[in-house]
Amino acid sequence: MSLFSLPLISLLALYAVVLGILWLGFRRVVRRQRVRDGNPQLSELSTVSIVVAARNEEHNLPALLPALLAQDYPHDKLEIVLVDDRSEDETWTILSNAAAHHQHVKALRIADRLPNYAPKKRALDAGIRSATGKIILLTDADCLPPPSWTRAIVQYYRDDIDVVAGYSPYVFQAQTPQFLRGMLSLDCFAFAAVAAASAGWGQPLTPTGTNLSYRRQTYFAVGGFEPIKQWVSGDDDLFICHLAERTNTNVAYALDPRAYVPTIAPTSWRQFWHQRVRFGSKGRHHRPSVTLGIVAVYLLNVGIAAGAILAPAFFPSLFVSLLSVWGVKSVMEFLFLASAARAFGETSLLKYFLPTAIVHPFYIALFGLLGLFGSYRWKEDSTTITLWNRQMPRAIRRNRRRGVF
């Protein structure tokens, strides 16, 4: 065993442990789903506030607003809070017209930025503070919630449930080859599978703000976004992780297809690039034990990617060992995703697993690195947000001293 293969095998063993923990967590979610389906709770419907922050979304709102207005939920128990976050197009006109024509729709407008307060978090916070519902439902302007969404999510709330996360499969508007659509959809589904599996242990690691809900009182119990308000991203996963660490929060994951909220896939390579860099930027903000696991998984993929590039030319004797590690990693991932796909009803995506597994180590290595040292553009803001600067590490250390992470 060479000095190169030994670290890879050690990381592979750790990765196996991580996937095993996730698999057990997912089985817990499935068992809870079966118990829930077998024992439906017949209780009075709670009041709900759907909160959406929109910035320059005039092209998406004509589809979103009818979807929200078509929710199969009593209007006397439902309100829709729409927040215009400094839009420069016709977003405010569309939102204010919707509020003028529907009594259960409320429109708010934010015209400026606050120092050290991420714009989207500020917009969502304003919407949540204005909301009156006991349960907050969050989605984005580029999503298409089905009429069943609100009722399906609310049915997951029992007396002991504080947070319900859900799945947002990709829908495609841009002309994209079917093969690439399948790979992107599988990647999106993998995030959801990890979110569901980690929710089984009480802390979903990758929930998405396109389909997320929590009790309004729970939001204020931890000070809302205040502890993480300076970070541009993380109004979904980082907030839920913060919530789970600071309170005895019980999390449910909605495996009911009626609760799925389709979201529009990136419409260009540039949009995809900035989105994935943004995703990669959040790994270091988790608590140390989670960050350690993320680093181990990242190093495994870096090792495979680097070995695949260098071994054939410089270390040919190691190539077989590299392929073995790569193959075992892929088999373990397939087994986990296949189990999750059956529960989600997404088994058709598994036919795209092999090509996705081939590019996966390079994909993780690239965007993980860019997430630490690169930059990304958020919406149409004129400035590019640099992730790695002097202020960010200080902010992280300050919050960890306070016990936030």
Side-chain angles (χ1 to χ4, degrees):
M1 186 176 295
S2 68
L3 292 177
F4 172 79
S5 58
L6 181 59
L8 272 186
I9 293 173
S10 300
L11 290 170
L12 181 65
L14 182 57
Y15 190 42
V17 172
V18 171
L19 285 178
I21 292 172
L22 289 176
W23 183 82
L24 290 173
F26 192 80
R27 299 316 303 166
R28 296 178 70 173
V29 171
V30 171
R31 285 196 296 270
R32 292 170 188 167
Q33 178 79 21
R34 289 171 180 167
V35 170
R36 171 190 169 277
D37 292 344
N39 299 278
Q41 188 181 56
L42 300 177
S43 60
E44 183 180 355
L45 292 175
S46 180
T47 55
V48 176
S49 295
I50 299 174
V51 178
V52 180
R55 172 162 167 74
N56 294 338
E57 295 285 0
E58 64 178 6
H59 54 295
N60 284 322
L61 290 174
L64 172 70
L65 293 179
L68 296 180
L69 294 171
Q71 291 298 298
D72 178 22
Y73 207 79
H75 283 188
D76 62 333
K77 293 182 177 295
L78 175 69
E79 71 172 351
I80 301 170
V81 182
L82 308 168
V83 186
D84 174 18
D85 178 19
R86 304 167 295 118
S87 293
E88 299 163 343
D89 59 5
E90 294 301 311
T91 293
W92 174 245
T93 300
I94 296 171
L95 298 186
S96 58
N97 284 341
H101 288 88
H102 302 278
Q103 290 185 347
H104 65 303
V105 176
K106 181 186 301 183
L108 308 176
R109 191 177 194 183
I110 293 177
D112 58 0
R113 292 187 61 168
L114 291 180
N116 299 318
Y117 207 140
K120 185 177 180 182
K121 289 190 181 70
R122 183 188 175 200
L124 289 175
D125 180 75
I128 293 170
R129 292 182 184 278
S130 174
T132 59
K134 293 181 179 180
I135 295 175
I136 302 296
L137 265 64
L138 301 174
T139 191
D140 284 344
D142 58 353
C143 294
L144 299 168
S148 57
W149 175 52
T150 302
R151 187 179 293 268
I153 290 292
V154 168
Q155 288 176 351
Y156 278 85
Y157 277 93
R158 310 297 173 94
D159 292 340
D160 60 338
I161 297 297
D162 304 292
V163 176
V164 179
Y167 178 37
S168 287
Y170 272 162
V171 293
F172 293 84
Q173 290 187 341
Q175 293 295 326
T176 309
Q178 181 60 40
F179 193 70
L180 184 57
R181 289 187 179 200
M183 293 177 65
L184 291 173
S185 295
L186 179 61
D187 182 58
C188 175
F189 163 68
F191 276 96
V194 171
S198 50
W201 295 111
Q203 182 171 302
L205 298 177
T206 54
T208 171
T210 56
N211 190 359
L212 184 63
S213 69
Y214 35 78
R215 296 185 188 275
R216 188 173 182 272
Q217 65 182 22
T218 303
Y219 176 81
F220 290 111
V222 295
F225 295 129
E226 187 66 25
I228 59 172
K229 67 179 183 180
Q230 71 271 28
W231 295 328
V232 173
S233 192
D235 52 273
D236 39 26
D237 52 353
L238 294 183
F239 173 71
I240 298 302
C241 287
H242 163 64
L243 183 62
E245 291 168 13
R246 303 292 289 178
T247 64
N248 294 321
T249 302
N250 291 316
V251 182
Y253 196 94
L255 291 178
D256 187 341
R258 294 173 298 178
Y260 296 171
V261 176
T263 184
I264 298 173
T267 56
S268 67
W269 280 110
R270 181 180 181 182
Q271 188 182 44
F272 173 81
W273 181 278
H274 287 293
Q275 183 190 70
R276 289 311 191 264
V277 174
R278 178 165 55 88
F279 288 173
S281 72
K282 296 186 283 188
R284 65 184 182 274
H285 299 325
H286 291 284
R287 71 177 188 270
S289 59
V290 174
T291 300
L292 179 63
I294 292 173
V295 169
V297 172
Y298 177 70
L299 291 178
L300 173 62
N301 284 282
V302 168
I304 293 174
I309 295 171
L310 300 176
F314 301 101
F315 311 101
S317 62
L318 301 177
F319 196 59
V320 173
S321 297
L322 174 70
L323 290 179
S324 299
V325 171
W326 199 343
V328 172
K329 167 184 174 290
S330 298
V331 169
M332 292 190 302
E333 290 170 342
F334 180 82
L335 293 175
F336 169 68
L337 289 177
S339 175
R342 288 191 291 271
F344 275 90
E346 291 282 31
T347 54
S348 63
L349 294 178
L350 296 175
K351 63 186 176 184
Y352 301 102
F353 177 81
L354 182 58
T356 305
I358 292 173
V359 302
H360 186 254
F362 305 95
Y363 167 85
I364 295 296
L366 174 63
F367 287 109
L369 180 65
L370 292 174
L372 283 175
F373 300 105
S375 61
Y376 64 87
R377 189 170 296 275
W378 179 254
K379 289 291 187 178
E380 290 81 13
D381 285 339
S382 58
T383 58
T384 300
I385 302 163
T386 301
L387 299 173
W388 194 257
N389 53 40
R390 296 178 181 177
Q391 287 73 33
M392 184 63 76
R394 284 203 296 266
I396 296 171
R397 290 194 295 269
R398 182 172 62 250
N399 281 321
R400 282 183 175 160
R401 286 197 300 269
R402 294 173 179 171
V404 175
F405 296 105

